[in-house]
Amino acid sequence: MPGYSPQEIEKKWQAHWKEHNTFKADNASEKPKYYVLDMFPYPSGAGLHVGHPLGYIASDIVSRYKRLQGFNVLHPMGFDSFGLPAEQYAIQTGQHPAITTEQNIDTYIRQLNSLGFSYDWSREVRTSDPNYYKWTQWIFLKLFNSWYNLDTDRAEPLKTLLDKFAENGSQGIRAAGDDEERHDFTAGQWQMWSEKQKLQAVHPYRLAYQSDTYVNWCAGLGTVLSNDEVKDGVSERGGFPVERRLMPQWNLRITAYADRLLQGLDTIDWPEAVKEMQRNWIGKSIGAEVTFAVQGHEQAQIKVYTTRVDTIYGATFLVLAPEHELVKTLTTPEQQEAVQAYIDATKRRSERDRMADTKTVSGAFTGAYALNPFNNEPIQIWIADYVLAGYGTGAVMAVPSGDQRDYVFAKHFNLPIVQVVDQQQIEEQADPTKEGSYLHGLITGLGYKEATQILIQQLEERGIGKGKVNFRIRDAIFGRQRYWGEPIPIYYKDGVAYGVAEADLPLVLPEIDEYKPTETGEPPLARAKDWKYKGQYDYELSTMPGWAGSSWYFLRYMDPENQERFVGQEPEQYWQNVDLYLGGAEHATGHLLYSRFWHLFLKDLGLVTAHEPFQKLINQGMILGRSNLIYRIQGTNTFVSAGKKDEYKTTELHVDVNIVDNDILNLEAFKKWRAEYSTAEFILEDDGTYVCGTLVEKMSKSLYNVVNPDTLIEKFGADALRLYEMFLGPLEQFKPWNTNGMSGVAGFLKKLWRLYHPQDGDFAVTDEAPKPAELKALHKAIKKVEEDIEKFSFNTTVSALMITVNELTTLNTHNRAILEPLVVLISPYAPHLAEELWQKLGHEAGSISSVAYPEFKEEYLVEDTVNYPVAINGKVREQLQFPATATAAEIEAAVRATDILARFAEGKEAKKVIVVPGRMVNVVV
């Protein structure tokens, strides 16, 4: 019989699992539930490389292990299938994005299945499927038709707000959002208004609303981009210029949930770094809002938010965001040219770049002056790009003595720096100290706490400000001027936005002739012919952002076929939330924060039961590429091997790692790799090989260090790849890839196979009784594997299994009592081989997933005998073995009865014998 053949075995069991729906989860069970989720992938054309499956392998191990532990496990997979890459490809080729996306998904499914993942494929979702995005649109409409009641601290249907308007007008309404966007009216006025007037009054209260918002506009792509999609002032995809532009945009009022999102972080088991990123993004601060009058502009007022109102006497200038609505009004004719030039330059920088750049000092004086409300001193009004229009009020009270950025700005532009507290040291830098006594005005001689209280009291009494809790987080922009996304279910009648009737969902993407903006700059959907609601009303032309569908997909997995509800009540109440979520840390403030927001909103409406969507989160580390380098002699097409490169002046180049084996370059494959290398010549090592250099860096196609899992599965098998990725190191850490290490793991699986097939012969498992040493090896492994998987320490589990197989090989173990539970232990890691051996052991095909995890028995780890090192005056001279039950007196008597003293102590008498139970014996002579 041939030896272990993973390729044959793996295809057999993958087909079996598919045919028998082995991993199909039930929505009701007497078993405890366990929901394991991967952050679902965007299906790119490149498919998977070996870095991608790391988290998927870990989640699959946990899923398989939890089934062995008696859990009803939900482990689904789907695809985040709307997005800009498919749209850009469509623009270039004219091919509909759905075709590209379908092809890419087929590749991903094939690759995922080739790795033996235990997904319940009957629950697959795709965000671009109208049957799915119908419910994304439905949730948007719920947001559109809800408001946030600060009195009840939750979202409510708009009907409760309309009832209040009908009874008392706007009086007494406490709603999340900007009060300045709303207007006061009486119940009588409300009753007299037209439908249009009522809708216009309601709009600023909605949780999904439209307003003029500063966005990252990319003319080259014809769309708005998120901050993540902009780098150094250009689009990450395509490198097109990006500018800040004020545009009407749909927004979601995530700010209403800021405090609850903050509090919820204390209830979930997430990496502290991720929670801290969310805390910083939400950015809660306690301070005051202050109104500054402007000289010569009686109607103009500048509101600033500050957490240090105690320093207001040190405010020597104001800084406005270049986009601030008052800049145009306040700028004097003399400063107009400089201010406009600065605004134009700022448009070319993303918010992220502006926030990150702490070294550049730039700004422009408007020529206008504000008045400090507490001493009436005139202070200059500047614009600078470190102030952002969307953060706070878009204006900063600059106190150079207490803030380093203000200090540097003041020094650079020769502006006043005023000491605020008597203990401040401001000769060389700002000093934010709160210690000491204040030096000015109403708070002279007071300390920080008293000064703050008095100033806030004065602000409120004078009507020029108030104490205020502020958040850094801003409402989420919810529109993209793209084609390949969910249509926003809004239509316009008489210039007012209406929600599409729920019965008319899904609003399906229309067919269009081109996938780029129109010649007049409208979004691609403007190209749709006769696309109107009820045949007469214009639809919204923007589509939803990429994160829309991924903000709730974990709920749809619970009940993906439900046509009446986004998730059925009973499945949702059974599964509730995700027990374990694996994915990259890069989603900390985007996907994860928005998902928590949507979930809290659905909770407010009574549509879900859990408070948080993801109870435990693990961020897997990145697998780094191991690049191979070749060395070309400058000015030639000759390449010199690494061992001899120092003899020549060379240029270092990357080479495709797939034509390198153990750092030895395949010369013929290299010549065929690229046309310019077909005539290459080589200076080789003395043994006739070309040895490449190596470098560990990010895995990337441009560095030619991407390793395709298909190639490795074909050569070593999927089980070997699964084991190797876990063996590389702790799950959360970054790890370098080295294909050379695959052979060692493949060798381990062959050794395991031979426990059941001696000398790669016939299956030969016996029913003989196990030896104590075999039971000890097995039960050490049972305990270790269980402990490590519960701690998500997968690399140490693989090491432990290797040690166990080595021990059993040395013991020549072939008996069922040991090898049967061993198969179960290894099945989460190497499921194909485990299924094959399980069937050979006489069990029903494909049944290993439903058996019980082996029971650990402490008794098999109890030693019968103990080896005692025997020392004379502290120096070990001998090893003696005693029964584990021997007492100290018995051990001492036995040692005295030996000839150890005669041999090593020149016959001297023992003054004292010290026995450390279970450890050692020391004889003092």
Side-chain angles (χ1 to χ4, degrees), residues 632-702:
R632 180 166 60 193
I633 298 174
Q634 290 184 4
T636 73
N637 202 25
T638 299
F639 297 84
V640 59
S641 184
K644 298 190 175 183
K645 69 180 177 64
D646 292 340
E647 302 172 23
Y648 302 88
K649 194 170 184 179
T650 61
T651 300
E652 184 179 274
L653 302 170
H654 284 75
V655 67
D656 187 353
V657 295
N658 295 292
I659 58 174
V660 179
D661 187 12
N662 278 321
D663 298 331
I664 305 298
L665 180 66
N666 182 325
L667 301 182
E668 291 306 312
F670 175 71
K671 288 183 176 182
K672 295 174 183 176
W673 178 45
R674 287 165 59 177
E676 63 263 38
Y677 298 147
S678 61
T679 59
E681 296 182 351
F682 305 93
I683 298 174
L684 306 174
E685 302 291 336
D686 293 340
D687 62 1
T689 63
Y690 187 100
V691 178
C692 297
T694 61
L695 186 65
V696 174
E697 53 194 338
K698 183 178 180 180
M699 200 170 281
S700 166
K701 286 189 294 184
S702 64

Side-chain angles (χ1 to χ4, degrees), residues 29 47 132 148 251 403 441 457 573 597 610 654 706:
S29 173
Y132 178 84
Y148 199 94
N251 298 267
D403 181 272
Q457 180 182 342
Q573 287 169 4
F597 158 45
H654 284 75
V706 170

Side-chain angles (χ1 to χ4, degrees), residues 302-321:
I302 298 174
K303 289 187 175 181
V304 303
Y305 175 80
T306 177
T307 58
R308 293 292 306 275
V309 69
D310 58 299
T311 65
I312 195 164
Y313 287 102
T316 58
F317 58 101
L318 292 186
V319 184
L320 307 184

